[in-house]
Amino acid sequence: MIHSEDQKKSYHIRYTKVIKDLNAISKMEPREGYMYRLMDTVIFQDFETALDTIIEDYRIANDNEK
């Protein structure tokens, strides 16, 4: 997949924001009211599944290169 420099910059900005926001919400207390509430949403669960899929794809691709 080929991405333009503008797309790469946009992805980096979005990635940085997601990491920053997750870090911020992880520090909010009580966790039951903020982080855990977020974790119970379908969107977060879909995000977890997407991450697991990408990690597994990466592992398989790299195991095949050995």
Side-chain angles (χ1 to χ4, degrees):
M1 187 177 307
I2 299 173
H3 298 288
S4 71
E5 287 304 313
D6 286 342
Q7 286 173 315
K8 290 178 184 178
K9 288 176 186 175
S10 174
Y11 285 135
H12 183 71
I13 290 167
R14 290 169 56 201
Y15 168 80
T16 302
K17 182 173 179 354
V18 166
I19 297 300
K20 180 181 173 185
D21 290 348
L22 283 172
N23 189 46
I25 198 171
S26 73
K27 296 176 183 174
M28 294 177 183
E29 294 290 342
R31 285 201 174 134
E32 292 84 358
Y34 301 101
M35 188 65 187
Y36 298 167
R37 189 175 83 201
L38 170 65
M39 292 170 73
D40 284 339
T41 65
V42 171
I43 292 169
F44 190 89
Q45 292 163 5
D46 287 349
F47 183 63
E48 286 180 303
T49 301
L51 289 173
D52 289 343
T53 300
I54 294 299
I55 290 167
E56 182 65 11
D57 289 350
Y58 179 84
R59 186 192 64 75
I60 291 168
N62 286 291
D63 283 351
N64 288 336
E65 291 177 7
K66 293 179 181 176

